[in-house]
Amino acid sequence: LQFTEEKLGQAEKTELDAHFENLLARADCTKNWTEKILRQTEVLLQPNPSARVEEFLYEKLDRKVPSRVTNGELLAQYMTEAANDFGPGTPYGKTLIKVGETQRRLGAAEREFIRSASLNFLTPLRNFLEGDWRTISKERRILQNRRLDLDACKARLKKAKAAEAKAAVT
């Protein structure tokens, strides 16, 4: 009732401290930017949407995500197979072996980068959103309910005093 009356402009609302309101606004801003950065980083690390969904499902089911071959490693594998077909002694075969080995190392470095970024960058962001932000939201709801209770009590007290004053006059 108090909430509805406040929204309709029929009841007074106790204002929170300006510093506290500023902290709440900063917390909301932090949450929004954290979500955006987390999503975009996931897109950067895994551009394939179906692979992201698969990884998300494995994560939610607390299962280990199967190891994927990176595009660089796959290219390296193709180059090595082609080199073996052409013959490792031919100039083209030698070149394919060298480039394939370089691509394999690049693919392994990419895999390590993805693992490291996920562990050291994405995990703390997720921990904030799933832990700290939930706590902030819960405490905010509790504070809002307490404020509504306080305002309702103030309104009842005001009505009781008005009734008491009216009864004293008559």
Side-chain angles (χ1 to χ4, degrees):
L1 181 65
Q2 179 70 26
F3 179 78
T4 305
E5 287 179 353
E6 285 178 8
K7 290 298 177 185
L8 296 174
Q10 298 172 348
E12 291 181 32
K13 178 180 177 181
T14 302
E15 294 298 323
L16 298 173
D17 181 48
H19 177 67
F20 185 72
E21 288 285 350
N22 183 31
L23 287 175
L24 288 176
R26 284 179 44 202
D28 287 336
C29 185
T30 302
K31 180 215 178 236
N32 292 334
W33 280 111
T34 302
E35 285 177 334
K36 288 177 183 178
I37 291 169
L38 177 73
R39 278 194 305 270
Q40 194 57 42
T41 305
E42 287 174 338
V43 168
L44 174 74
L45 294 177
Q46 180 50 270
N48 184 344
S50 61
R52 279 198 311 273
V53 169
E54 181 183 356
E55 288 173 3
F56 175 77
L57 290 175
Y58 274 110
E59 205 173 278
K60 290 300 174 188
L61 296 173
D62 288 329
R63 299 235 171 112
K64 187 175 186 278
V65 179
S67 181
R68 284 188 202 287
V69 176
T70 64
N71 290 331
E73 291 171 320
L74 189 60
L75 179 59
Q77 180 184 345
Y78 290 162
M79 287 180 167
T80 304
E81 289 173 8
N84 289 333
D85 268 358
F86 288 114
T90 64
Y92 189 45
K94 286 179 187 177
T95 303
L96 285 175
I97 288 174
K98 285 181 182 179
V99 175
E101 180 58 30
T102 303
Q103 281 297 330
R104 188 193 60 73
R105 287 197 310 265
L106 284 171
E110 179 184 5
R111 178 193 307 272
E112 177 55 27
F113 169 72
I114 292 169
R115 187 197 67 73
S116 175
S118 179
L119 184 67
N120 298 321
F121 185 70
L122 294 179
T123 300
L125 294 179
R126 283 191 192 106
N127 289 343
F128 167 73
L129 291 173
E130 294 170 2
D132 297 342
W133 181 252
R134 283 189 181 164
T135 302
I136 291 169
S137 297
K138 179 181 159 198
E139 296 298 328
R140 180 185 268 179
R141 281 190 303 274
I142 291 170
L143 177 64
Q144 177 71 1
N145 289 334
R146 296 293 194 279
R147 188 198 56 76
L148 288 170
D149 291 345
L150 173 67
D151 288 349
C153 289
K154 282 180 178 179
R156 274 187 265 148
L157 179 62
K158 193 175 185 180
K159 285 179 186 177
K161 284 185 178 181
E164 189 178 290
K166 185 178 178 183
V169 170
T170 54

